[in-house]
Amino acid sequence: MNADSATTVRFLLASRQCELNSLRYLLQTGELVGKISQMVHMLQRERGTSNLYLCTQGRLCGEQLAQRAQDAHAAQVALLHHLDQLETLTAALPQASRLLSRVASVVYALSLLPALRQQVRQLTAQDAIAFFNDTIRHLLALVFELSDAAAEPAISRALIAQFSFMQGKELAGQERAAGVAALAAGQLDEHSQHTLLDLIERQDRCFATFAEFCDAAHRQRWLDLTPDSEFERLRRIACTRRTRQGADEAESLRWFSVATQRIDGMKQLEDALQASLMDLCRARIAVQEQANNEQRADITSLMGQHTQEEGGYAVFMPHAGHEQGEWLANDEGVTPQLSRSLLSLVQQQARRLQALDHELTTLRATLNERKAIDRAKSLLMQHRALSEEEAYKTLRRMAMNQNKKLVEIATAMLAVADILQESP
């Protein structure tokens, strides 16, 4: 390889092409997020139906279980087909190992679903919910990993917004399940109320992050999606009633119905977010392709002018009478005009990439906080055999006791864990 103008141009164009390839990868990432979104929603529906069936000792929803399982299986087939292409697409990415590890966890979790469905009538509602929760957790972790891999600020913002919304919707689904279980059993005790309040608080936090990163149109659409007054009434009852009541099957069914309407409304907004993400990816690809073509045209024009002036490709060669080092040390070798033009292109590309990096750094801060909290939760789940909900409550309790932010507790815990792993 020669250190000359031709090589400078080649690397400038290669830099642009890498950006375009990255955007095309993000388009495929967006398609995958859509498949995961559908899979999660189908599992949420199956979980809700199974939960109501088990909480009412099989009196409700028994005939719907098979259909829910069939719908989820169809979504799984579409998802696995898309995942099958991911290994080739991500082979050259630096984060491929972590991403594919997440995929392995998802595939393993999905492989356990047939056995669950065969045994669901023999399970407790709590066990069935925990299984579905864990499967959905793996799917959402994959969406988070895909969001973390985005290297284009506008698309990264859209992915963070969508992931946060999907996470909030999942917590709404868990709230539905917890409410059905409490109302059907007539056990609106302190524990069940704390569980509901915790789920509501975590939803609010997710939706606040969504509102921060989404565009104005989707933010307004979320504001317009106000909870049904009947849902708010039942939510207040579930969260404030202090005495044990007898099992109320009608009330639990009503809770399930209005909570499902709310979640279905969220799904419509989630689909709109997905469509917007895809449109954004395609628009950014079109803009990048146009920019690449314009840069090629500018370079072709620039080189054409100097080729005519210098004769053939003499523009890329040192002038007669100059040593190689002397030629590189001044502008005469490529003519001052061409040298300045190439320098301007290099500097322009560097400034643009620096601006993108600055914006991505701000976005990464949000993702890194979430990553630290998730890693800390995983440590607690692994070493203390806690559920995800219990691990989160443990972190939050430690943060409240020490008057610190959740991410500060998570970061300190990870630092200690890293030290222990390094100890002989």
Side-chain angles (χ1 to χ4, degrees):
M1 181 177 71
N2 295 323
D4 54 24
S5 299
T7 306
T8 301
V9 169
R10 179 159 61 89
F11 277 101
L12 275 175
L13 294 176
S15 173
R16 284 280 193 174
Q17 187 60 41
C18 283
E19 290 184 71
L20 184 56
N21 293 342
S22 176
L23 287 169
R24 287 171 177 160
Y25 168 73
L26 287 176
L27 177 63
Q28 294 167 319
T29 294
E31 292 172 350
L32 177 56
V33 170
K35 296 292 188 287
I36 296 173
S37 168
Q38 186 65 12
M39 182 77 238
V40 167
H41 188 65
M42 291 300 105
L43 288 176
Q44 288 168 340
R45 294 179 67 192
E46 186 177 4
R47 176 183 60 193
T49 300
S50 301
N51 181 52
L52 192 57
Y53 170 83
L54 293 170
C55 285
T56 59
Q57 288 75 51
R59 290 187 296 275
L60 296 175
C61 295
E63 69 284 355
Q64 297 176 6
L65 286 176
Q67 183 60 52
R68 292 289 182 261
Q70 184 176 338
D71 293 343
H73 179 71
Q76 177 177 317
V77 169
L79 172 61
L80 290 177
H81 175 73
H82 211 90
L83 289 176
D84 200 36
Q85 308 170 30
L86 194 62
E87 184 176 358
T88 302
L89 293 173
T90 60
L93 295 178
Q95 68 276 13
S97 177
R98 190 172 64 246
L99 181 61
L100 294 176
S101 177
R102 290 290 192 188
V103 172
S105 297
V106 165
V107 173
Y108 176 74
L110 294 177
S111 73
L112 301 178
L113 283 173
L116 168 76
R117 289 167 181 146
Q118 290 179 356
Q119 303 171 14
V120 69
R121 287 174 169 82
Q122 287 76 50
L123 296 176
T124 65
Q126 185 177 8
D127 287 341
I129 289 172
F131 187 94
F132 280 110
N133 288 357
D134 191 58
T135 304
I136 293 172
R137 179 174 64 84
H138 285 297
L139 286 161
L140 291 177
L142 179 54
V143 177
F144 175 76
E145 204 66 56
L146 292 167
S147 302
D148 193 26
E152 208 286 338
I155 296 174
S156 185
R157 290 182 67 88
L159 280 168
I160 293 172
Q162 185 165 352
F163 166 71
S164 300
F165 192 84
M166 291 174 68
Q167 189 182 36
K169 175 171 167 280
E170 164 56 11
L171 293 169
Q174 292 183 28
E175 181 191 3
R176 175 179 62 183
V180 165
L183 290 168
Q187 295 180 347
L188 291 170
D189 55 13
E190 186 175 355
H191 174 74
S192 63
Q193 288 174 343
H194 281 170
T195 297
L196 287 170
L197 289 170
D198 176 67
L199 289 168
I200 293 169
E201 179 191 350
R202 292 167 67 190
Q203 281 177 68
D204 291 344
R205 187 176 294 114
C206 290
F207 292 134
T209 302
F210 154 75
E212 179 184 354
F213 286 95
C214 73
D215 58 32
H218 289 107
R219 188 180 303 112
Q220 185 58 51
R221 185 166 177 176
W222 168 242
L223 293 175
D224 293 339
L225 194 65
T226 54
D228 183 275
S229 58
E230 178 68 358
F231 175 74
E232 291 290 1
R233 183 187 71 82
L234 291 171
R235 187 186 246 182
R236 284 195 299 273
I237 290 173
C239 292
T240 61
R241 184 183 285 169
R242 291 301 181 186
T243 58
R244 284 180 176 264
Q245 304 290 324
D248 191 335
E249 192 169 285
E251 195 169 59
S252 65
L253 184 60
R254 181 59 182 160
W255 166 273
F256 180 82
S257 176
V258 296
T260 298
Q261 289 175 15
R262 177 174 179 248
I263 293 170
D264 287 346
M266 291 180 187
K267 176 57 176 167
Q268 292 178 8
L269 177 51
E270 188 174 281
D271 289 343
L273 289 169
Q274 172 63 21
S276 178
L277 172 64
M278 300 306 293
D279 289 342
L280 178 60
C281 287
R282 295 187 186 99
R284 292 294 301 134
I285 288 173
V287 168
Q288 188 66 42
E289 286 177 338
Q290 179 65 24
N292 288 9
N293 291 336
E294 289 175 355
Q295 187 178 65
R296 287 192 186 94
D298 289 343
I299 291 172
T300 299
S301 175
L302 178 66
M303 294 307 183
Q305 293 172 12
H306 287 279
T307 299
Q308 293 175 7
E309 295 171 4
E310 298 292 328
Y313 286 92
V315 67
F316 297 129
M317 303 298 293
H319 286 181
H322 288 283
E323 295 296 328
Q324 180 70 20
E326 182 183 357
W327 175 64
L328 290 172
N330 60 62
D331 292 332
E332 293 184 38
V334 293
T335 76
Q337 295 87 350
L338 179 56
S339 178
R340 285 193 294 270
S341 297
L342 288 177
L343 178 60
S344 176
L345 288 173
V346 171
Q347 290 176 335
Q348 184 182 49
Q349 176 79 337
R351 285 193 298 269
R352 192 172 60 82
L353 293 176
Q354 186 176 15
L356 289 176
D357 286 343
H358 177 73
E359 189 171 354
L360 281 169
T361 298
T362 303
L363 297 175
R364 289 278 187 267
T366 298
L367 291 171
N368 288 337
E369 286 188 8
R370 166 60 199 265
K371 189 181 296 184
I373 293 171
D374 272 6
R375 284 187 60 200
K377 282 195 305 183
S378 296
L379 279 176
L380 289 172
M381 292 167 68
Q382 179 181 356
H383 293 289
R384 296 183 57 181
L386 301 178
S387 67
E388 183 184 15
E389 179 184 349
E390 291 168 338
Y392 180 83
K393 286 181 177 179
T394 300
L395 285 174
R396 191 179 63 173
R397 184 169 59 252
M398 293 170 65
M400 292 176 63
N401 290 343
Q402 299 181 40
N403 195 26
K404 292 184 177 180
K405 293 181 179 180
L406 198 64
V407 68
E408 293 175 334
I409 295 297
T411 302
M413 183 180 295
L414 293 174
V416 172
D418 289 341
I419 292 173
L420 292 176
Q421 288 177 357
E422 293 174 0
S423 299

